[in-house]
Amino acid sequence: MTALLPPTPVVELGVHAVRSDGRLIEIRRPRPEDRIGLLELDARSSDRSIYLRFFSANRRVADGYVETVLRSPGPGHDAVVALTGQEIVGVASYERTSADEAEVALLVDDPHQHLGIGTLLLEHLCALARAAGLRRFTAETLAENFRMLGVFDRFGFAVHRETDYETVHVTCSLLPDDAAIDAIGERERSADVASLAAVLAPRSVVVVGAGRRARTVGYELLHNILAGGFAGDVYAVNRHGGLTQGLTAHRSVRDLPQPVDLAIVAVPAGDVLGVVRDCGQRGVRAVVLVSAGFGELGAAGRAMQAAILAEARRFGMRLVGPNCLGLVNTDPAVRLDATFAPLPGLAGPLGLISQSGALGIAVLQAAARCGIGVSQFVSVGNKADVSGNDLLLYWEQDPRTQVLAMYLESFGNPRRFARIARRVSRHKPILVLKAGRSAAGQRAGLSHTAAAASSDAVVDALFDQAGVVRMNTIEEILDATRVLSSQPLPAGSRVAVIGNSGGPGILAADAAVAGGLDVPALSPAAVRAVALAAPDAASWTNPIDLGAAAQPQAVRDSLRVLLDCGEVDAVLAVFVETLVADADELLAAIDDAATETAIPVVVTMLARQSESCRDSQAPCSPPVFGFPEQAARALAVARRYAVLRDRPIGAPVIPDGMDRDGVAARIADLVPDGDSSEEGRWLSGVEGADLLRGYGVPVSGQRCVTSSSAAVAAAAELGYPVAVKIARGDVVHKSDRGGVVLGLTDAEAVSRAYRAVVDACGDGDPAVLLQPMTPAGTELIVGAVEDDQFGPIIMLGAGGVLSDLLDDRTFRLLPLTDVDAADMIDRLRMAPLFDGFRGLPPVSRDVVRDLLHRVAAFVEDHPQVAELDLNPVVCVGANLVAVDVKVRLRPATPRADPLLRQLRPLVPAPTGR
């Protein structure tokens, strides 16, 4: 289904992107000083390329195109160029031919073809074209120009061809459908894997700042690389030269005998810029910057960090850090421990990303103690360049990485994270420990929605949409990893608990239910089968108590009954070590029964160290925990991931009957682009209602008046009974200020209410709002807020006076799919009211979903909408009406296109707040 993207602010250009070979390229709009570079591009191009591009070998035509490209961007024209260093190696432009169509042209330097540059140029040009309201590109191409036709075919967007003799007329949609999104995602993944190969699987490494004294960062980095048996070449750089740990230390990176893939830099902050420049000039492909003293220290540090990143980008190098611990790759073909910490070298299925180096050390050491090894570990530090998004792409198809764990303190590009994580989590679980759950993360706002949309609530919504499992502790991550990496996913929530003691079994059952699992009663047939397998058991019902004297054979046979009965989706085996039965023999019996089953088995051997049933290195042996609560929580995480993985993604919904252009024009009049007020202004209820009606949102009738006589006349026009309210849009709790009078049935009552509401305002404003009384029904709140980091967010919850009291709300980031909208309703605690709870009139889910999609389209289309509240929305059966409308507009701020492949900007874009 086509995801109709509304016009958005022009994307920021002057960015870097990753070519298909993993190298970097800069993409930006052309500048007047680029004339010579563009003419040189024409001059370097072969006669064949010129002929295929311009249908003529006459280079004067090509040179004339340069002047077209250099025209200032406007409603009918735009262009982008690609640069390696200072050299222009590609150019793409469009010329508008109708209201929603433009002709596109593309030229890439001959030596730089087949590197994905043409596709990157088209992607960025598409973003500009969509921002200008275009919906299609067209191109006239010679039939023999197989390269250009191939670019369009691989582009992923819907393409239509018409052949006329030697010419092919190509029409390409600019609206991304599923195929286009998949094609962009695969190009992004492939390029990122190539880009990070020098970081995660280098063939040669140099430590810059390799000290001679133990317990210094540079010394320990080099020591760990050598002691870990790195499979490639190792070099050392120390400004004083000499020997360090048996290696000759070069005085500068410039003195290295050959270029290296990866530089690990551990020098004082003031020396870093020069070292990075030396690395670039010597052909180093990537840098891990462990040095601190940059963005974490404030504005001056951020400026230094930006300068270092700019230097790395200038030479096409990827950068990890700064202020990081380093990285580890346990692959036998690599064997790289480029950290300065005493880390265990245990290889295993866990890929770990951590912003905090100290926390990364703790996780790896704790993981080793319970037998979990890592495939790779990356401490990303300040995330100046390489981020969690890059590593998710790298690990997506890495066979050694089965479980992805992340410790995050911040997001760089949340919408890109959501897109990447949603795809990756379809194949591999992503477990995230995100700092910042406290009330200190609550943001201030004048609408219910802005006040409710704390950063943590939005993070939960992001993770839920992306299929990510949010964890509370390091211990939970490690416990879940042991289950997810060794056991099949539970197909449902039914759990059987079996053990040799009643108390621990009850604790396990309670913990399973607390985690969202079920401990159902077994059928009589299943109970009989268990009784035959263990006739001496104390209890054959779930939870099953085999008794303290249970022997391995009875345990094995009983467990097989449970695994074969078809009534459970997982088994929690909870045992206590006794002198009557050998614990190792019991574990071996459990392991035998669990072999080749599609049902997960998780074991507790009370107070025993974490291990596996038979061998801590056996990948499929059931994990053993020391306490039942641990085991039950870990199993619950596995079930939660299974539900998220299997949930349909859904498709965007485009409601009909929306006057997008008309509403855009009215918003432009209300908040001109040149408005100097960052906060913008709150609209009156009448203004806000007028905008929402343009998107088909049912809004209660209303009149704004400034005198008691006008109020009486408006009441007669609207029809009694009426309500009189404060008209100002920036007042949240009107009733708390005495600014709402309801159920007025005659002119005298309206006149008195008018004076009372004006007095309640207390600011001399004579404006009040009159509305007809709405019949009683189920009250909801629907709201939206433009978040600085996350973009537009939509909220649904219990409305009216119960909005703050019940705190029953759900959030979703945009774009909003049909599955998202349905899930928002189902997640509410008040959801039973939609079905006619205890005789109350039911509420149509269809009309509520339609309202959500209309509000989502409104805020997605118009980035000027900073806050929006519809509260209450009164629902009766298949009818609903928004009674109060609050809208705050402000000048539009640019939104990053989540489909646009680009590395993070050198300088963060202003938030506009």
Side-chain angles (χ1 to χ4, degrees), residues 584-601:
D584 291 331
E585 292 180 358
L586 290 176
L587 292 177
I590 294 170
D591 192 66
D592 288 342
T595 301
E596 298 181 359
T597 178
I599 294 178
V601 177

Side-chain angles (χ1 to χ4, degrees), residues 132-189:
L134 293 168
R135 292 294 176 262
R136 287 178 300 280
F137 275 163
T138 64
E140 297 291 335
T141 304
L142 289 172
E144 60 186 286
N145 193 351
F146 302 115
R147 288 180 178 176
M148 188 63 191
L149 292 172
V151 168
F152 279 113
D153 288 342
R154 293 187 298 272
F155 196 39
F157 290 74
V159 171
H160 176 71
R161 293 188 188 184
E162 291 183 1
T163 303
D164 182 15
Y165 296 104
E166 298 179 348
T167 304
V168 180
H169 180 79
V170 178
T171 302
C172 176
S173 171
L174 303 184
L175 305 179
D177 56 13
D178 290 341
I181 293 172
D182 289 345
I184 292 171
E186 178 53 31
R187 288 196 292 268
E188 181 179 45
R189 187 202 64 78

Side-chain angles (χ1 to χ4, degrees), residues 16 74 94 97 122 166 255 286 296 378 465 475 490 519 534 587 617 623 658 723 730 766 777:
H16 287 78
Y94 73 74
T97 55
L122 279 181
E166 298 179 348
D255 299 332
E296 73 277 12
V378 182
Q465 284 176 277
E475 182 184 36
V519 183
L587 292 177
Q617 298 302 309
M658 299 188 301
D730 59 344

Side-chain angles (χ1 to χ4, degrees), residues 402-404 422 424-431 467 469 479-495 517 563 568-571 594 596-602 619-620 623 633-647:
Q402 301 173 30
V403 179
L404 284 58
R422 177 70 274 180
V424 174
S425 65
R426 288 290 178 180
H427 312 289
K428 298 182 180 183
I430 303 174
L431 312 177
V469 183
D479 290 344
T481 297
R482 299 183 63 218
V483 174
L484 288 165
S485 62
S486 68
Q487 298 299 294
L489 292 175
S493 60
R494 302 169 302 172
V495 178
L517 302 173
L563 294 172
V568 298
D569 304 300
V571 174
E596 298 181 359
T597 178
I599 294 178
V601 177
V602 179
C620 297
R633 282 196 304 264
L635 187 58
V637 170
R639 177 56 191 158
R640 212 156 80 229
Y641 167 63
V643 170
L644 289 171
R645 186 196 65 170
D646 295 339
R647 186 177 62 192

Side-chain angles (χ1 to χ4, degrees), residues 350-353 372 392 395 402-408 417 421 424-425 428-434 463 467-485 489 633-634 636-638 640-642 644:
L350 180 64
L352 176 64
I353 305 163
I372 302 174
L392 289 180
W395 289 338
Q402 301 173 30
V403 179
L404 284 58
M406 309 174 74
Y407 169 75
L408 299 178
F417 171 84
V424 174
S425 65
K428 298 182 180 183
I430 303 174
L431 312 177
V432 178
L433 179 61
K434 171 67 174 66
F463 288 165
V468 170
V469 183
R470 186 169 189 178
M471 312 300 287
N472 295 309
T473 66
I474 296 172
E475 182 184 36
E476 287 182 6
I477 288 180
L478 299 179
D479 290 344
T481 297
R482 299 183 63 218
V483 174
L484 288 165
S485 62
L489 292 175
R633 282 196 304 264
V637 170
R640 212 156 80 229
Y641 167 63
L644 289 171

Side-chain angles (χ1 to χ4, degrees), residues 256-335:
L256 292 175
Q258 62 184 17
V260 299
D261 284 342
L262 181 64
I264 317 293
V265 177
V267 299
D271 298 334
V272 167
L273 184 61
V275 167
V276 171
R277 183 180 298 116
D278 289 345
C279 288
Q281 291 173 344
R282 191 63 189 94
V284 173
R285 292 195 58 187
V287 173
V288 173
L289 181 53
V290 301
S291 307
F294 298 99
E296 73 277 12
L297 296 185
R302 287 193 296 271
M304 290 175 61
Q305 184 171 299
I308 290 163
L309 179 58
E311 198 69 11
R313 293 273 172 84
R314 185 163 75 92
F315 291 102
M317 296 185 294
R318 297 307 303 266
L319 176 69
V320 177
N323 187 31
C324 72
L325 178 71
L327 56 90
V328 173
N329 187 346
T330 62
D331 186 340
V334 180
R335 300 192 307 273

Side-chain angles (χ1 to χ4, degrees), residues 498-762:
I498 184 170
N500 63 353
S501 178
I506 294 171
L507 290 177
D510 288 345
V513 172
L517 302 173
D518 299 320
V519 183
L522 298 176
S523 69
V527 171
R528 286 195 298 272
V530 174
L532 287 173
D536 297 327
S539 171
W540 299 306
T541 59
N542 195 16
I544 297 166
D545 180 4
L546 299 177
Q551 295 300 302
Q553 187 64 44
V555 171
R556 182 184 298 108
D557 293 345
S558 301
L559 189 54
R560 282 177 176 162
V561 168
L562 294 175
L563 294 172
D564 294 339
C565 71
E567 298 181 22
V568 298
D569 304 300
V571 174
L572 274 172
V574 185
F575 287 84
V576 179
E577 200 166 355
T578 70
L579 296 175
V580 179
D582 182 80
D584 291 331
E585 292 180 358
L586 290 176
L587 292 177
I590 294 170
D591 192 66
D592 288 342
T595 301
E596 298 181 359
T597 178
I599 294 178
V601 177
V602 179
V603 183
T604 298
M605 184 62 72
L606 251 69
R608 189 156 176 152
Q609 184 176 350
S610 296
E611 57 184 349
S612 294
C613 278
R614 196 181 296 276
D615 179 355
S616 62
Q617 298 302 309
C620 297
S621 189
V624 179
F625 294 90
F627 295 97
E629 294 87 353
Q630 283 179 281
R633 282 196 304 264
L635 187 58
V637 170
R639 177 56 191 158
R640 212 156 80 229
Y641 167 63
V643 170
L644 289 171
R645 186 196 65 170
D646 295 339
R647 186 177 62 192
I649 296 175
V653 174
I654 310 301
D656 55 11
M658 299 188 301
D659 181 16
R660 284 173 150 158
D661 293 339
V663 171
R666 291 197 290 276
I667 287 178
D669 290 338
L670 290 166
V671 181
D673 288 339
D675 192 329
S676 60
S677 170
E678 290 187 355
E679 292 300 319
R681 73 180 186 90
W682 288 95
L683 303 185
S684 69
V686 173
E687 291 171 325
D690 180 53
L691 295 180
L692 269 298
R693 287 193 188 99
Y695 272 67
V697 173
V699 180
S700 173
Q702 50 196 296
R703 300 289 186 274
C704 185
V705 299
T706 55
S707 68
S708 60
S709 60
V712 171
E717 182 182 349
L718 291 169
Y720 290 103
V722 297
V724 175
K725 304 176 181 180
I726 293 175
R728 281 174 44 191
D730 59 344
V731 179
V732 180
H733 302 288
K734 298 182 178 72
S735 57
D736 291 353
R737 297 178 55 170
V740 178
V741 184
L742 304 176
L744 305 172
T745 57
D746 56 50
E748 183 178 351
V750 168
S751 181
R752 286 198 305 270
Y754 171 83
R755 290 190 294 271
V757 169
V758 169
D759 291 343
C761 285

